[in-house]
Amino acid sequence: LDVITCIEGQPAVFTCELRKPHMMVRWYKGSVLLTDTVNEITIESKDRMYVLTIPNTTKDSSGFYSIKINNESSKAQLHVRGVELAAEEVNYLRLVHLMLRIATPVVRGVFDKEFDPEQLKGGNIFPRYRIEQLVKRRHLSEKEKDLVLSIT
């Protein structure tokens, strides 16, 4: 067996090829016998190839795994690392949080003070001349103007 290092959530696959096909093998984590029904693992064999798969690793999956055939065994360690984020990724996630969770409700509150939501539902809140002024000042593009005018 080979040592495996993976990131939490990734699969880990231990493989072992034996000299003879159809041998009776047992897989262990530490001293605990593993079966297909334990800890969402799969144990497969085909001819001389024996495979232990952990499809969704967690930090608890880390440890020593072994395969035993009669009096012989092979052992390897599984290292599962947590998800690590770079400083740029942390800053990006902070910015997304700021924009979605903090800025959006604030902007919504200011907008609702300026434009009564009940009046918005009725449409016709912007006179045509006011929209034209916004276009002249380059606060609205022609496409935005057409969109606003098609609603009102």
Side-chain angles (χ1 to χ4, degrees):
L1 299 179
D2 294 322
V3 173
I4 298 175
T5 300
C6 66
I7 295 174
E8 195 170 9
Q10 290 182 325
V13 180
F14 290 100
T15 59
C16 182
E17 187 173 2
L18 302 178
R19 288 183 217 113
K20 296 179 185 177
H22 310 295
M23 297 288 294
M24 184 63 182
V25 303
R26 294 181 310 275
W27 288 94
Y28 292 87
K29 178 183 180 193
S31 60
V32 177
L33 178 65
L34 299 175
T35 62
D36 275 349
T37 58
V38 175
N39 299 331
E40 300 179 15
I41 61 169
T42 57
I43 297 173
E44 301 171 301
S45 64
K46 185 173 183 182
D47 296 326
R48 299 180 328 158
M49 188 63 69
Y50 296 83
V51 181
L52 169 69
T53 304
I54 306 165
N56 187 17
T57 58
T58 64
K59 288 196 174 198
D60 291 337
S61 305
S62 294
F64 285 97
Y65 288 80
S66 58
I67 184 171
K68 294 186 180 180
I69 309 99
N70 298 328
N71 292 331
E72 294 186 42
S73 67
S74 179
K75 181 162 107 173
Q77 189 168 12
L78 170 61
H79 302 280
V80 180
R81 295 183 302 151
V83 178
E84 299 166 6
L85 297 175
E88 306 87 48
E89 293 169 316
V90 171
N91 289 337
Y92 171 77
L93 291 174
R94 285 180 179 154
L95 184 61
V96 168
H97 172 74
L98 178 67
M99 289 174 16
L100 292 178
R101 300 283 187 222
I102 298 171
T104 301
V106 171
V107 170
R108 184 175 292 123
V110 170
F111 186 86
D112 287 348
K113 282 183 183 177
E114 288 293 321
F115 306 103
D116 180 26
E118 293 303 316
Q119 197 175 9
L120 284 174
K121 288 178 187 174
N124 227 3
I125 62 158
F126 291 113
R128 188 174 192 84
Y129 78 90
R130 178 77 173 109
I131 295 170
E132 295 294 342
Q133 286 176 344
L134 293 172
V135 172
K136 282 181 185 175
R137 293 185 193 148
R138 297 181 185 225
H139 293 293
L140 283 180
S141 69
E142 286 293 330
K143 284 185 180 181
E144 292 166 331
K145 175 185 93 170
D146 293 341
L147 181 64
V148 171
L149 291 177
S150 70
I151 294 171
T152 57

